[in-house]
Amino acid sequence: MQAIQKAKSMMRYFPIFVDLHAVPPLIIGDAPVLAAKLRLLLKAAPVVEVMAGTDVTWRAAFAEDAGVRWRRPINGPTGDARDLDLRAAIAAIKGRPLVIIETEDAALNHSLVAAARAYGVPVNVPDKIDLCSFYLAAIVDRAPLIVAISTSGMAPVLGQVIRAKIETMLVPHYGQLVGFLAACRQQLVVCTPARIRQIQRAIIDGPAAQKFLAGDAAGAKTHVDALVEPSQSVRHQPSLTVIACGTGETALLPAAAAAAIRAADHIFYEPSVSDECLEIARREVTLTKCDDRYDGRYDDRYDIRHGPNTTLKMLRNSIESGAETVLIIAGRQAVLDLQAARHPIMRALAHAALPASYIAAGLRPVVASAQIVPLPNTVSVSAAVMAADSRLPSRPAGGW
């Protein structure tokens, strides 16, 4: 188990999407497995160049395809890839967005792979993991929506099974929703980024997307207008969400807590919060660790009297900037303190520096909600306090 957890800390391969329109990708070899690779590349590239022998068995299948450009750098009696003009092939590799190779000759494969790596060209040799610098993913094509699943070349069948499950989730025309959302953004140019994301999530999860996918574009537009129109929707107010994440295992986070982390613009977190908990946040999120700004006493982290860099003042600055702000605290004691409405942050938010004098939290089995406490300048703090599963380690003797 420990080895598995260490392996999760870094991806072996970085997933990217490559533009194949400017320069054609290249396939070199005669192996039958290359036919499937060519068919796949033609879904994304207007032209694919192929270096193969004259008698390649799968050539006839692409005889009428204008997107395949055949090259024949063959010198020798066999007429197949074993007589490949190595110098011409290496020259052809340079500058390609990617190259796929299988000449069925190990030494020739190694020479071509070495050339591709020297040129910085991504190279793939089917079923030869040690020769590959990239892998072809299992793809769910709902263009312009593309979902790619990779098992780093180690378990392609697993990727295929996951792809099949995702395909059942997304109807064939689901990708058209991308264009609809792009058009809707034109109505949101005056909104803050946080508000834009909020409205777009409401479109995707609500009746607007359902009607659009059902062919009722006019009905979908009506729902979007209702979301955007201030008189028919709640004006966006920046908010603070305080989350007690326990050990930080995402499987134990309530759905509402996970959603708040994913939607956040700025996350403040205590040092004991796990990386796993932070991993689910947006890539663009601002992360602020709440540690060396304090004198070490737990309660003083949220005491507004301890200078300009206290957590509370940094939280206020973030909220007043219009950012969706989240504060994550960890540990069993934090969970219990929030559930019992005695955590220092709750006392700090109710301090005299804020208009409200107290925050009254109503207890629930998993989620405790607190009333809205207004800040100056009409900005409000909605302290939606969410506590994770309390089956967690007890508080250390010396405190957190």
Side-chain angles (χ1 to χ4, degrees), residues 177 180 202-204 206-213 216 219-220 223-224 227:
L177 189 59
F180 178 67
I203 293 171
I204 295 166
Q210 294 174 5
K211 286 186 175 295
F212 178 80
L213 293 172
D216 183 4
H223 281 282
V224 172
L227 287 169

Side-chain angles (χ1 to χ4, degrees), residues 248-270:
E249 296 177 63
T250 53
L252 298 179
L253 282 176
I261 293 172
R262 293 187 175 102
D265 296 307
H266 196 157
I267 294 177
F268 295 79
Y269 65 98
E270 293 188 335

Side-chain angles (χ1 to χ4, degrees), residues 230-250:
S231 64
Q232 300 183 48
S233 62
V234 178
R235 283 186 179 275
H236 175 66
Q237 292 292 342
S239 64
L240 168 67
T241 302
V242 182
I243 300 173
C245 68
T247 61
E249 296 177 63
T250 53

Side-chain angles (χ1 to χ4, degrees), residues 375-390:
L375 278 172
N377 302 323
T378 71
V379 179
S380 67
V381 178
S382 175
V385 182
M386 290 163 280
D389 194 313
S390 59

Side-chain angles (χ1 to χ4, degrees), residues 353-394:
L354 297 177
S357 60
Y358 66 96
I359 299 175
L363 292 178
R364 297 180 185 178
V366 174
V367 180
S369 60
Q371 70 180 46
I372 294 178
V373 182
L375 278 172
N377 302 323
T378 71
V379 179
S380 67
V381 178
S382 175
V385 182
M386 290 163 280
D389 194 313
S390 59
R391 297 171 294 172
L392 306 169
S394 59

